[in-house]
Amino acid sequence: MLPAQPNQSLMDGLAVLQTVVGHPDGIGTRQMARDLGLEPTRINRLLKTLAHLGLAQQTARRKYRPGPAIHVLAAQALFGSGLLQRAVPHLEKLHRLDLIVALGVLWRDQVCYLYHAAPGMKPSQALGRVGLFPATRSGIGMALLAEQKDLHRFPVAVRSELRQTRARGYALVEPQPGRRERSLGVVIPGGTQAAIALSGVIADQRVEPLVAELRQAAAGIGAEESSPYPRSR
Amino acid sequence: MLPAQPNQSLMDGLAVLQTVVGHPDGIGTRQMARDLGLEPTRINRLLKTLAHLGLAQQTARRKYRPGPAIHVLAAQALFGSGLLQRAVPHLEKLHRLDLIVALGVLWRDQVCYLYHAAPGMKPSQALGRVGLFPATRSGIGMALLAEQKDLHRFPVAVRSELRQTRARGYALVEPQPGRRERSLGVVIPGGTQAAIALSGVIADQRVEPLVAELRQAAAGIGAEESSPYPRSR
DNA sequence: GAGCATTGTTGCTATTATAGCTACGCATCT
DNA sequence: AGATGCGTAGCTATAATAGCAACAATGCTC
């Protein structure tokens, strides 16, 4: 819902911040302008402003990457989100299944991982490890996309897959059909707009029990955020 | 360094975002205006813009708190920062000392914790658990404040303490002198602008060995960010 | 419940913060 | 060396924004 007088500079500035944060090795001013469809001088001004705040910094090659204040933002966002803290105990229990265990959110048709643990990995190593991944090729992504109202903007094949996801109540993604590498995704109930997934080699008969595990974990995570208003802390 | 044409809306909008993120139970428009010294209508407009982006949401009592897009920001900032991922293996090793183990950064004379583990706590439980804490009463805060160029803005007693911190090379804070509850803080070398700390009941003769532990951990964390430019990933 | 104080927010409009254009020095590639 | 693309400063027109006033909603006290 657009407010009476939205602040366009803030919106574009946040888009620039979110883009630079996703490029730890740096991104150029003009490249970002092309990506975001904005005028280069404007991008440069927003980047310079972020650099002044310490949220971006320039590399030797004049590209921009996250600056030291990004750690502040990470700390603040982690605290303000509270999701990771609530979710990790439940995700840890899924480690015994010897699959990838992941928690993610949607950003511009891409999945952004809060947690991504490969088999055998410690929970603490699963943090901030993986960047963006195309949503339509991920269990998390498909589960979350299926929750959206309007599916018309997707190609026919994706739309069909999203309808199946809705009917099943979970996402099942096979990047390479027939290979049995699969990703199962389930949305966390409540207004969190996040999802969890198990990925790896998954035989047919194993799908339903794993979905049950996911649902249990998702319910546990969602139960700690059941109140849409003041949360206990 | 202020750019040629800074974007004030972005700066103020980010201040509003950082404030709302730190209030999980909500903060009112006019209260925030008073806190930030800005005009209420302006705050309302910035908040409404953030709400449109999902980064804020209004409570039943009309206050603003973090919205669902905060999880996206947390995921992105965690990935863009990379600090937690690098630091946690080193921090885990400090758990055996049976003290509070913490990693934090400075924000407006307050410490913002990325990691704060009480004795006996699992590393995964230490995330996003604690909000802001006054910097001058924290080992992390004092260690980071001592790194700043200009100490003139602090009261005489704090300034003297900061000079001692500089001379020692680590921070030693005693919230209640004589009680032996202490907080030891050490800055992570390199441009990270973060620090780690051990806190709890610490006897005199135990201080130096603990500082050595902290320095070792800080050096380990900093070594993984030794290049001020393109980082391996 | 009534009265009062505080709050969140809208519309209007003046103003100034911002955006775009141009040009220039710098970096990279052939 | 030349060509191309880059990051960015200065200038200036303009439209995005800020502040004021007013109003509906909420909270507090008696």
Side-chain angles (χ1 to χ4, degrees):
Chain A
M1 203 207 69
L2 207 59
Q5 195 175 311
N7 192 304
Q8 195 63 49
S9 272
L10 177 56
M11 287 196 266
D12 294 335
L14 284 169
V16 169
L17 173 63
Q18 285 180 302
T19 303
V20 78
V21 163
H23 287 83
D25 295 326
I27 179 168
T29 301
R30 294 195 183 219
Q31 182 58 53
M32 193 188 292
R34 287 189 292 269
D35 291 350
L36 297 180
L38 297 172
E39 208 268 327
T41 311
R42 182 135 190 263
I43 295 294
N44 180 265
R45 299 240 168 85
L46 294 171
L47 278 169
K48 282 284 185 190
T49 299
L50 292 177
H52 171 58
L53 297 174
L55 285 165
Q57 71 185 168
Q58 219 164 0
T59 68
R61 306 175 60 182
R62 298 189 305 168
K63 295 177 191 304
Y64 287 87
R65 64 170 190 168
I70 191 63
H71 310 307
V72 179
L73 188 64
Q76 290 172 326
L78 208 46
F79 176 73
S81 160
L83 177 56
L84 202 46
Q85 195 208 353
R86 293 197 305 275
V88 168
H90 299 273
L91 296 174
E92 283 181 322
K93 289 180 192 138
L94 299 178
H95 277 223
R96 67 178 204 282
L97 301 171
D98 215 40
L99 297 166
I100 292 172
V101 181
L103 162 70
V105 290
L106 260 191
W107 182 64
R108 290 193 197 142
D109 292 343
Q110 292 184 93
V111 172
C112 213
Y113 294 99
L114 274 156
Y115 189 97
H116 192 289
M121 206 174 257
K122 291 202 286 193
S124 54
Q125 291 169 319
L127 313 169
R129 187 174 81 84
V130 180
L132 301 170
F133 193 79
T136 55
R137 288 164 46 198
S138 132
I140 285 168
M142 291 301 279
L144 291 168
L145 289 176
E147 297 260 308
Q148 301 196 343
K149 282 181 194 157
D150 183 18
L151 304 183
H152 292 325
R153 63 186 181 95
F154 296 106
V156 169
V158 174
R159 209 184 313 162
S160 166
E161 196 56 40
L162 289 173
R163 283 209 204 89
Q164 284 182 49
T165 300
R166 282 186 178 173
R168 278 190 306 239
Y170 64 89
L172 171 64
V173 178
E174 296 177 319
Q176 288 173 320
R179 276 287 315 273
R180 282 195 299 181
E181 296 254 326
R182 285 166 169 155
S183 177
L184 302 171
V186 172
V187 171
I188 294 169
T192 311
Q193 293 173 36
I196 58 174
L198 293 168
S199 309
V201 176
I202 297 169
D204 290 348
Q205 64 273 17
R206 218 174 153 214
V207 169
E208 292 296 339
L210 290 179
V211 169
E213 292 271 358
L214 276 178
R215 282 194 175 128
Q216 190 174 13
I221 299 167
E224 301 191 32
E225 179 74 47
S226 53
S227 165
Y229 287 125
R231 73 184 185 199
S232 52
R233 195 158 194 110
Chain B
M1 203 207 73
L2 208 60
Q5 194 175 310
N7 191 305
Q8 195 63 48
S9 271
L10 177 56
M11 288 196 267
D12 293 335
L14 284 168
V16 168
L17 173 62
Q18 286 179 301
T19 302
V20 77
V21 164
H23 287 83
D25 296 327
I27 180 169
T29 301
R30 295 196 180 216
Q31 182 57 55
M32 193 187 295
R34 286 190 293 268
D35 291 351
L36 297 180
L38 298 172
E39 207 268 328
T41 311
R42 184 134 189 265
I43 296 293
N44 180 266
R45 298 244 167 81
L46 294 170
L47 278 170
K48 281 284 184 188
T49 301
L50 293 178
H52 172 58
L53 297 174
L55 286 165
Q57 73 186 169
Q58 219 166 357
T59 68
R61 306 174 62 181
R62 297 189 305 171
K63 295 179 192 304
Y64 286 88
R65 66 169 188 170
I70 191 64
H71 310 307
V72 180
L73 188 62
Q76 290 172 328
L78 209 45
F79 175 72
S81 158
L83 177 57
L84 201 46
Q85 197 210 352
R86 295 198 304 276
V88 168
H90 299 275
L91 296 174
E92 282 181 323
K93 290 181 194 136
L94 299 177
H95 278 222
R96 68 179 206 284
L97 301 171
D98 216 39
L99 296 166
I100 293 172
V101 181
L103 162 69
V105 290
L106 261 193
W107 182 65
R108 291 194 198 144
D109 293 342
Q110 294 185 90
V111 172
C112 212
Y113 293 100
L114 275 156
Y115 189 99
H116 192 288
M121 206 175 258
K122 290 202 287 191
S124 52
Q125 290 169 320
L127 312 169
R129 190 175 79 86
V130 180
L132 301 169
F133 193 81
T136 54
R137 289 165 46 200
S138 132
I140 285 167
M142 290 302 279
L144 290 168
L145 289 176
E147 297 258 308
Q148 301 195 343
K149 282 180 196 160
D150 184 16
L151 303 183
H152 292 326
R153 64 188 182 91
F154 296 107
V156 169
V158 175
R159 210 184 315 161
S160 163
E161 198 53 39
L162 290 173
R163 282 208 204 91
Q164 285 183 51
T165 301
R166 280 183 179 174
R168 277 190 305 241
Y170 63 90
L172 170 64
V173 178
E174 297 176 319
Q176 288 172 318
R179 276 287 315 275
R180 284 194 299 181
E181 296 256 327
R182 286 167 168 154
S183 178
L184 302 172
V186 170
V187 172
I188 294 169
T192 309
Q193 293 175 33
I196 57 174
L198 293 168
S199 310
V201 177
I202 297 170
D204 290 348
Q205 65 273 18
R206 216 174 158 213
V207 169
E208 292 296 335
L210 289 179
V211 169
E213 292 273 355
L214 276 179
R215 283 194 172 126
Q216 189 173 12
I221 299 167
E224 301 192 36
E225 179 74 48
S226 55
S227 164
Y229 289 124
R231 73 183 184 200
S232 52
R233 191 157 199 111

